[in-house]
Amino acid sequence: MDLGYKALSRKQKNLRYGGYSAVATVIVAAVLVVVTLLAELLNFTVDLSANRLYTPGDTTRKVLDELEDEVDIYGLFSTGTEKYNYNVQTIQLAEQYANVCKKIEYETVDTLKNPDFIKQYLAASDSANLIDDGSFMVLNKTTGKYRILGLQDFYDYLDSESTGVDAFTAEEAFTSAIQYVTSEHTPIVYQLTGHGEKTVDSTFLSYMVTTNTDFESLNLMGYAEKEIPVTNYTMIMIDAPMVDLSDAEYALLLNYMERGGRMLVFLSYEMPDELPNFRKLLGRFGVGYSAAGNYVRDLNVAQYVGNDAVIIPLAEEDSEVIGALAGDPFFTMLYAVPLELTESPSAYTEQEVFLSSSSSAVFAAKEELRQGPFPLGVYVSESRTVAGQAKTCRLIVFGNTQFV
């Protein structure tokens, strides 16, 4: 599937996303959405096979071929622990990185004999005492930028309480870390706060770290700057606000979008119906929604799981946002509200419905029972000229905040 990623020249050292293999479908969906909004950053997926478990794959080799900075990988082991089976296989892979790329060196460090080794590199906010035995440090020799990888980065487990290993994910971890330490910019997702927004799921946050994405709060109350900075590695997320935007906040966010910003919005049936400035912001890009304290139900037993409010949405196969999940029965949406697309605001605005309910779905509006299908996920892009330069803003809206 072509997600419309734009390859960067080697002079543009923006961060590229790490791969993913055995992760929950909802996390895949979230990452696909973030990648779409940060489309200037090239995504890659690491494909591990049983025959090449301890050898960097073709995609990793392409990343290493383009490496400009020198990178050190240090295995941090107390005496004897490097011989443990789960450490041996990770060391073997790290050594292979050094074998296939001249700019990478691998070294095992005995942390008992050299307890202060790691301290010379750590930032003031980090502590060597918090680094587990058997961790790896990936270090950019030029800039000093580093990432610490632990056992949890190298294996996927069957569930949070299981000791059973589902996948060996060390290649993802090493390649992602190398990209991180050699990148000039780190993608940042700013979550808008101050309006009773939902709390972000911890699983989503941890996977954002794996994909080299920082997550920060953005409170616009009393915002001192005249404009929110727009870059090709940042986006704003709005997660089901319960209080309306102020006039000043609306103006800041609209200005941000019209200068080429990226925004991800989640809605909830629990949101108040009267949020005029928030609705106006979405309406500027031709997006509306119905809430009224109700949510979409699907009356077709083949389109829901256990409860008619836990629906299996229909994903557009050709969608650049989420087409990879078309037909996936494990991707479900809970308590979704129907979206509405009005006429495109301009000839330069493109709108796409990438998720929808089936035609058997219903929604109880204030005075009527409406029949599906309903849009549940929409993507809007708009190109315009700002200060003589072509800019494209991107907006993705989901009709819910809960996925399974």
Side-chain angles (χ1 to χ4, degrees):
M1 179 187 65
D2 179 10
L3 294 185
Y5 302 123
K6 301 177 182 178
L8 292 172
S9 69
R10 293 189 180 184
K11 293 181 180 179
Q12 291 178 287
K13 296 170 63 181
N14 287 332
L15 185 61
R16 301 173 183 179
Y17 281 80
Y20 47 86
S21 56
V23 296
T25 297
V26 62
I27 302 302
V28 175
V31 173
L32 284 173
V33 168
V34 172
V35 168
T36 299
L37 286 175
L38 299 176
E40 275 76 9
L41 306 180
L42 179 64
N43 181 60
F44 75 93
T45 300
V46 174
D47 184 16
L48 298 177
S49 66
N51 294 330
R52 301 183 65 180
L53 193 60
Y54 309 128
T55 304
D58 292 340
T59 309
T60 290
R61 288 170 183 265
K62 291 179 181 178
V63 173
L64 300 183
D65 286 344
E66 297 180 1
L67 202 59
E68 296 179 354
D69 295 347
E70 294 184 346
V71 174
D72 285 338
I73 301 177
Y74 294 107
L76 309 174
F77 302 97
S78 57
T79 305
T81 58
E82 75 278 4
K83 297 179 182 179
Y84 294 166
N85 182 58
Y86 54 83
N87 286 334
V88 169
Q89 57 192 12
T90 311
I91 292 173
Q92 288 177 351
L93 181 60
E95 290 174 337
Q96 286 301 312
Y97 273 77
N99 289 339
V100 301
C101 181
K102 293 180 179 180
K103 291 187 176 293
I104 296 178
E105 293 183 0
Y106 173 75
E107 180 183 346
T108 297
V109 176
D110 190 323
T111 53
L112 287 181
K113 295 179 179 179
N114 195 356
D116 294 330
F117 170 82
I118 193 70
K119 295 180 181 179
Q120 63 184 309
Y121 300 109
L122 295 184
S125 58
D126 292 334
S127 172
N129 296 328
L130 299 179
I131 299 176
D132 294 331
D133 186 69
S135 296
F136 286 74
M137 180 183 207
V138 179
L139 173 73
N140 185 319
K141 293 178 68 173
T142 303
T143 66
K145 190 175 182 180
Y146 67 89
R147 168 157 284 178
I148 303 295
L149 302 174
L151 191 63
Q152 72 280 359
D153 298 302
F154 302 136
Y155 297 92
D156 271 340
Y157 297 92
L158 296 176
D159 56 62
S160 60
E161 298 180 357
S162 174
T163 58
V165 173
D166 189 38
F168 182 58
T169 57
E171 183 182 348
E172 298 175 46
F174 280 130
T175 304
S176 178
I178 289 169
Q179 290 181 309
Y180 174 78
V181 302
T182 58
S183 65
E184 183 177 354
H185 298 295
T186 301
I188 304 174
V189 175
Y190 291 102
Q191 186 191 16
L192 189 67
T193 61
H195 312 87
E197 291 87 353
K198 297 278 187 180
T199 301
V200 178
D201 181 83
S202 59
T203 305
F204 176 82
L205 289 178
S206 64
Y207 201 74
M208 287 295 96
V209 172
T210 302
T211 53
N212 294 326
T213 307
D214 288 343
F215 200 91
E216 299 181 11
S217 296
L218 175 65
N219 193 323
L220 296 180
M221 188 175 297
Y223 192 72
E225 304 297 329
K226 293 182 179 180
E227 295 180 335
I228 301 172
V230 174
T231 72
N232 65 356
Y233 54 90
T234 59
M235 60 171 278
I236 293 175
M237 187 178 85
I238 303 178
D239 197 354
M242 302 300 289
V243 178
D244 198 20
L245 305 171
S246 68
D247 291 344
E249 290 172 323
Y250 163 78
L252 278 168
L253 290 171
L254 180 60
N255 174 270
Y256 165 80
M257 290 296 288
E258 291 185 338
R259 289 184 294 113
R262 297 91 188 275
M263 186 175 291
L264 171 62
V265 177
F266 295 99
L267 303 176
S268 168
Y269 75 96
E270 298 173 311
M271 291 169 56
D273 202 34
E274 297 297 326
L275 297 174
N277 279 335
F278 178 69
R279 284 185 176 273
K280 186 165 63 169
L281 178 65
L282 297 185
R284 161 62 182 79
F285 301 96
V287 180
Y289 65 93
S290 299
N294 291 313
Y295 41 83
V296 174
R297 298 176 181 272
D298 203 309
L299 305 183
N300 182 351
V301 294
Q303 290 301 133
Y304 68 81
V305 179
N307 183 317
D308 61 10
V310 185
I311 63 176
I312 303 172
L314 306 176
E316 293 295 325
E317 292 184 7
D318 297 332
S319 169
E320 66 178 71
V321 181
I322 209 166
L325 297 179
D328 190 333
F330 299 105
F331 179 48
T332 59
M333 302 176 71
L334 284 70
Y335 311 117
V337 300
L339 306 178
E340 303 160 3
L341 283 180
T342 60
E343 186 176 348
S344 294
S346 76
Y348 306 102
T349 304
E350 296 183 3
Q351 300 171 320
E352 172 196 338
V353 176
F354 61 85
L355 284 177
S356 59
S357 73
S358 73
S359 58
S360 57
V362 296
F363 176 74
K366 290 182 178 179
E367 298 179 357
E368 62 176 338
L369 185 67
R370 292 164 51 190
Q371 187 72 41
F374 303 108
L376 301 177
V378 300
Y379 172 42
V380 181
S381 63
E382 182 177 288
S383 300
R384 56 194 293 127
T385 301
V386 180
Q389 293 185 328
K391 300 289 184 180
T392 300
C393 71
R394 299 178 177 89
L395 170 68
I396 290 180
V397 183
F398 281 94
N400 71 321
T401 61
Q402 300 182 59
F403 301 83
V404 173

